[in-house]
Amino acid sequence: MLTSEHVDLVTFTGGVSIGKYIAAKAVYKRQVLELGGNDPIIVLEDADLEEAAGLAARGSYANSGQRCTAVKRMLVQEGVAERFVELLVEKTREVKYGDPFDAAMDMGTVIDEPSARRFEAVVDEAVAAGARLLVGNIRRGALYSPTVLDRVTPDMNVVRHETFGPVSPVIRFKTVEEAIRIANGTPYGLSSSLCTNRLDLITRFIQELNVGSVNVREVPATGWKSRPSAGSRTRGSATRKASSRP
């Protein structure tokens, strides 16, 4: 199909390695590639922390974190990090997880047991490197609990690569410059969330983040479904845009 003269357009949703293979083989054809993401939520010191923690939890745990646009990194300014983490832990403990066929559950299993084992292993690795496990990291087969890690550093694999599960790693930062550097510090450039009320900083993050969308006081993929998908770098192919809550 990739090389057939009868195919004009190739679309693919999946992992980066397969996406790169398709891009290399399907030459001279139009391509739409929806690949990985490592989306950050960035919480600045003026943010409404109750709102920010709620957005972070929803963005991380919806669909068991198995979305390319899930929140996979939580960048929080140091002055408000303690309170944000307290609220995030509270909201994480409120998530009911279990049998995906039980309508009373908020979250079910992940795709398979090997994936759940991988989440467990990458969290264990982060804890061994100095991160603090505050809640979660409990696995039963393919069921993996909502998990919060604090004191994560940008070099840890739990945030360097796409976890694709219900893990909430918190990275603390001091300055806006540091937040932008950390956010742009992975090969992924799908989307992002920003919690602040300052228009000057919103404008700056839109200009300087290497992502397809900057969602202000909202999490990725909760806006208008008719808008085009966006991203950069190993995310795939797209355009830049910004969206915000009304």
Side-chain angles (χ1 to χ4, degrees):
M1 181 182 73
L2 296 180
T3 58
S4 170
E5 63 183 47
H6 303 294
V7 175
D8 296 322
L9 172 68
V10 176
T11 69
F12 172 73
T13 300
V16 174
S17 60
I18 301 301
K20 287 183 175 180
Y21 174 84
I22 290 172
K25 293 289 287 186
V27 293
Y28 303 117
K29 295 182 186 297
R30 290 178 295 159
Q31 302 174 16
V32 178
L33 305 178
E34 163 60 64
L35 307 180
N38 199 358
D39 298 358
I41 184 170
I42 302 167
V43 181
L44 301 184
E45 59 190 1
D46 73 305
D48 178 330
L49 297 183
E50 180 74 32
E51 177 184 74
L55 290 171
R58 175 159 57 91
S60 182
Y61 306 137
N63 301 104
S64 301
Q66 298 174 111
R67 307 183 329 279
C68 57
T69 55
V71 170
K72 301 184 181 77
R73 296 179 290 158
M74 301 182 181
L75 281 56
V76 186
Q77 201 154 19
E78 283 190 351
V80 296
E82 290 294 336
R83 181 56 181 156
F84 173 86
V85 169
E86 289 175 1
L87 290 167
L88 178 63
V89 168
E90 288 178 13
K91 294 181 185 303
T92 298
R93 293 188 188 279
E94 292 171 357
V95 176
K96 293 178 289 186
Y97 69 100
D99 184 350
F101 293 102
D102 184 347
M105 296 296 104
D106 300 312
M107 197 187 86
T109 58
V110 296
I111 186 65
D112 55 25
E113 185 172 346
S115 295
R117 288 184 181 276
R118 183 172 61 82
F119 307 151
E120 187 178 36
V122 77
V123 168
D124 287 342
E125 179 186 68
V127 171
R132 293 178 55 203
L133 176 64
L134 302 183
V135 62
N137 201 30
I138 300 168
R139 184 188 61 79
R140 296 193 301 274
L143 183 65
Y144 184 80
S145 64
T147 297
V148 177
L149 283 172
D150 191 15
R151 304 288 180 176
V152 173
T153 56
D155 61 313
M156 294 180 179
N157 284 327
V158 71
V159 289
R160 280 182 55 81
H161 305 290
E162 182 179 24
T163 305
F164 212 69
V167 179
S168 297
V170 178
I171 303 172
R172 302 182 181 215
F173 67 88
K174 294 180 180 179
T175 66
V176 167
E177 291 76 15
E178 184 182 10
I180 293 171
R181 176 178 56 79
I182 294 170
N184 288 337
T186 78
Y188 301 91
L190 178 52
S191 191
S192 65
S193 297
L194 177 63
C195 295
T196 183
N197 290 305
R198 287 183 51 179
L199 183 58
D200 59 329
L201 293 180
I202 292 170
T203 302
R204 180 173 179 184
F205 275 95
I206 290 172
Q207 291 174 338
E208 297 188 27
L209 289 182
N210 294 326
V211 295
S213 65
V214 177
N215 298 268
V216 180
R217 295 177 58 193
E218 188 52 279
V219 292
T222 59
W224 303 288
K225 297 299 184 289
S226 60
R227 69 188 184 187
S229 183
S232 63
R233 298 184 291 178
T234 54
R235 179 267 171 213
S237 53
T239 57
R240 177 182 292 271
K241 65 184 182 304
S243 65
S244 63
R245 292 177 45 164

